[in-house]
Structures are given as C-alpha cells and as structure tokens.
Amino acid sequence: MSRIALLAMALFLALGAGAAYADASGTNKTIYIADTKIELTQELWTIGGWTYAPVKEFADLMGWTLVHDAGSGEITLSGGLEDSLSFRAGSSEVVFNGRTYDIGGTIRAKDGITYAPLRILAESMHASVGWEPRDKVAIVRQEEAYAVAAGDTLSSIAGAHDTSVAALKARNGLTGDALQIGQRLKVVAPDFLDPDSAPKAAPAAEAAIDQAELTMLAKLVEAEAGSEPYAGKLAVASVVMNRLHNDNYPDTVKGVIYAPGQFSPAGNGSLERERPSRDSLKAAKAALSGENNVPGALFFFNPRLEPAKAKRVKAIKKIGNHLFAK
C-alpha cells in the first residue's frame, strides 16, 4: 500500500479524512477527504476568490504538526517531506523552510481562529489543488516526490507539474540545472517561491464571481484606466484585489472601492455613470479569478504628476502612465 493510501486510511479512521476536496463557495464547512465527506468545526472563508482555511483543522487533516508561540503569536506547521511553514495573523509574510516570502495576501484571524489561504497551505504541504466543476469544490491531493527519469530537464518537469523552473529550484534547494536519474524532487511548489509569479486564487474562482462585484470593479477600472493598455487595466483591478487580501483594508470589493478618500470616482459619484469597455470587463473578471500582474501593489499614481511621491514609494512596476507601488 502506498504512503498516500496509508495516510488517507489513518486520517479516515481518525477524522473521516485523506487527500482533500474543499468547498470554495463561501462559508461552507464541508470537506471531502478520500471521497469521504466530513464537516469542519470551522467554516471555510472565501474573500475575493481566495478560500481561507482554518489552519489548525487543515493541518490536522493533512497530518501536519502545529506549534503556537503564545508570546510572538507565531504559528509553525511541520510535516510531510521535512517541510515547515511559519506565519502570524495580520502579516503577509511566511517563513517556508527557513526563508521569508511575501504571499501577496494577509494571514487572517476571525473569532480567535487563524486562517490562511487554502492553496498556500496545501502547496506548502506538497499537495496539489484542483477543481471539481460539478460540485464546485476545490480538490486538494497530497503528491509524492518525483523521481527524475532519463531525458528529464528542470524545464520539462516544471511544465508537467504547472510550476516554473525558478520555483522548482527554490523548492528543492538547487543552485544549478544538472539532474541525476533517480533523484527525487518536490514538484508542488507554492507560487511565492517564484518572484515573478502572482498569487493564485482558489481554483476556478471565476465560476463563483459575483456579477455585482464584477460590474463595480469593471467600472472602477474604466474610470481609472480607461485609456491605459489592457495590462494597466488588469493592474488597477489587481490593486483592488491586493487590498482585499490586506488586513489594513475592507474585506469586500465594495468596501475597498468605496473606502473614504481612496478612489475619487467612487467618492464623487461618477463611478455609477461609467460604462466599462470590453477590456475593462475582461480585466475585472481576470482579477476576480486570481490573475494579478502587480502582486503586492496597494496603490497607483501618475509619476509625471507626482514626481516627489515616486521617490518615496517602493515601486513594483510601471505600466502605461501609472506607477504601481506599495
């Protein structure tokens, strides 16, 4: 019997558990593990296409150990292929296998329970995340390490496992491109390991997009970036989503857009009169589905109009007339 099957059987006996299906529809407690439905004590929590899972329960289901430092508030998860993941509520940084990364969203707390993005938890535990369209649930499945075969390259392995060469090398501590036949590689790599990769939303988040939010976001994109290229439109929508996943801003699209003193079209009432173009709608839908071409950016402005500000901020990318920064 394989290690995955043994883990599934052990979890099933203990919790009704094994490789998982998690409902990404909002506030649902249902989760499938090894085709067995169980009810979580805590609800899954969906914000802007990202499904957040209660850390303690998810760690238990995946067979990982959790240690909480009451003094610092830091939570450390360990298990699997000698991996460890540490973070604290309110921060966008995690420590994975001794290195610090920004995940592009905030670890959250609600009613005394710590929540983290389901995808980030799963992929850090070397579990892939897929989507079952009929039941509209995410599928989390623990993966084995990959044994390098003759003819394999880092590029071919990365392509076959939906990751990048940079992330694959970071995941395995590789400094060069040379591989040996039989060498075992961890092939599920969290996006934060690749500096050029944007954080992903929950699988197939587009299926659950709220049409009112889509229209509102598309109107804002049109108002702020109507004359900008498509990349600039997507970047504006991405800023809204970045704020949505940051504890310093509201946790709804409407709350972010209409926050006092933030987006002038929302404040002066002109937003309601906007008629979004096809590209603005496309950009809004892409952002709500998880695409993000300016991960970490929390605001944007025209540096030609505000040159002094451009010198003070931490710039992420310039697209068209806008500088995106945090």
Side-chain angles (χ1 to χ4, degrees), residues 85-303:
L85 179 70
S86 300
F87 47 76
R88 55 174 59 87
S91 175
S92 65
E93 292 187 339
V94 301
V95 178
F96 184 58
N97 293 340
R99 292 179 177 270
T100 302
Y101 302 91
D102 193 311
I103 63 173
T106 308
I107 304 298
R108 296 177 177 269
K110 181 171 69 170
D111 299 328
I113 305 297
T114 301
Y115 288 76
L118 172 63
R119 181 184 289 277
I120 287 172
L121 287 175
E123 292 181 342
S124 297
M125 296 174 178
H126 206 253
S128 60
V129 183
W131 179 253
E132 206 298 308
R134 183 188 62 187
D135 294 329
K136 296 184 178 180
V137 293
I139 305 173
V140 180
R141 198 176 302 279
Q142 195 126 38
E143 302 287 349
E144 297 280 3
Y146 176 78
V148 175
D152 278 341
T153 64
L154 286 174
S155 180
S156 67
I157 295 171
H161 293 88
D162 192 27
T163 187
S164 68
V165 170
L168 192 61
K169 291 173 75 171
R171 185 72 172 89
N172 292 277
L174 302 177
T175 56
D177 295 334
L179 295 174
Q180 295 181 347
I181 295 176
Q183 179 180 355
R184 300 192 71 81
L185 297 178
K186 303 173 186 178
V187 291
V188 180
D191 287 332
F192 59 72
L193 291 179
D194 185 349
D196 295 325
S197 179
K200 294 178 182 176
E206 182 177 335
I209 288 177
D210 181 278
Q211 292 303 305
E213 288 187 341
L214 172 62
T215 299
M216 188 184 308
L217 182 56
K219 286 184 176 183
L220 180 71
V221 170
E222 185 68 24
E224 296 282 7
S227 61
E228 295 292 310
Y230 175 75
K233 291 179 172 66
L234 176 58
V236 167
S238 296
V239 165
V240 174
M241 302 308 291
N242 290 342
R243 290 187 178 192
L244 190 68
H245 296 289
N246 187 295
D247 273 352
N248 293 321
Y249 296 91
D251 60 5
T252 65
V253 170
K254 183 177 182 179
V256 168
I257 291 176
Y258 283 93
Q262 298 303 308
F263 298 104
S264 56
N268 62 28
S270 64
L271 187 65
E272 287 76 9
R273 299 190 296 273
E274 287 290 343
R275 298 177 67 87
S277 66
R278 179 177 298 179
D279 271 357
S280 290
L281 281 165
K282 178 182 176 182
K285 181 178 289 187
L288 287 167
S289 298
E291 290 187 41
N292 190 326
N293 61 348
V294 286
L298 294 174
F299 60 94
F300 58 91
F301 62 96
N302 188 326

Side-chain angles (χ1 to χ4, degrees), residues 5-141:
L6 286 170
L7 174 61
M9 181 175 292
L11 289 173
F12 174 79
L13 292 173
L15 299 164
Y21 301 75
D23 191 324
S25 61
T27 55
N28 197 306
K29 294 183 178 181
T30 304
I31 189 168
Y32 281 87
I33 300 185
D35 298 324
T36 301
K37 180 190 291 187
I38 64 172
E39 295 294 320
L40 296 172
T41 302
Q42 312 299 330
E43 293 179 335
L44 296 168
W45 185 16
T46 300
I47 302 175
W50 284 26
T51 297
Y52 286 77
V55 172
K56 175 72 166 64
E57 285 197 87
F58 190 77
D60 287 345
L61 291 174
M62 298 300 287
W64 277 48
T65 300
L66 182 149
V67 175
H68 178 235
D69 186 324
S72 65
E74 184 174 73
I75 291 173
T76 298
L77 304 175
S78 57
L81 302 172
E82 299 183 349
D83 292 320
S84 67
L85 179 70
S86 300
F87 47 76
R88 55 174 59 87
S91 175
S92 65
E93 292 187 339
V94 301
V95 178
F96 184 58
N97 293 340
R99 292 179 177 270
T100 302
Y101 302 91
D102 193 311
I103 63 173
T106 308
I107 304 298
R108 296 177 177 269
K110 181 171 69 170
D111 299 328
I113 305 297
T114 301
Y115 288 76
L118 172 63
R119 181 184 289 277
I120 287 172
L121 287 175
E123 292 181 342
S124 297
M125 296 174 178
H126 206 253
S128 60
V129 183
W131 179 253
E132 206 298 308
R134 183 188 62 187
D135 294 329
K136 296 184 178 180
V137 293
I139 305 173
V140 180
R141 198 176 302 279

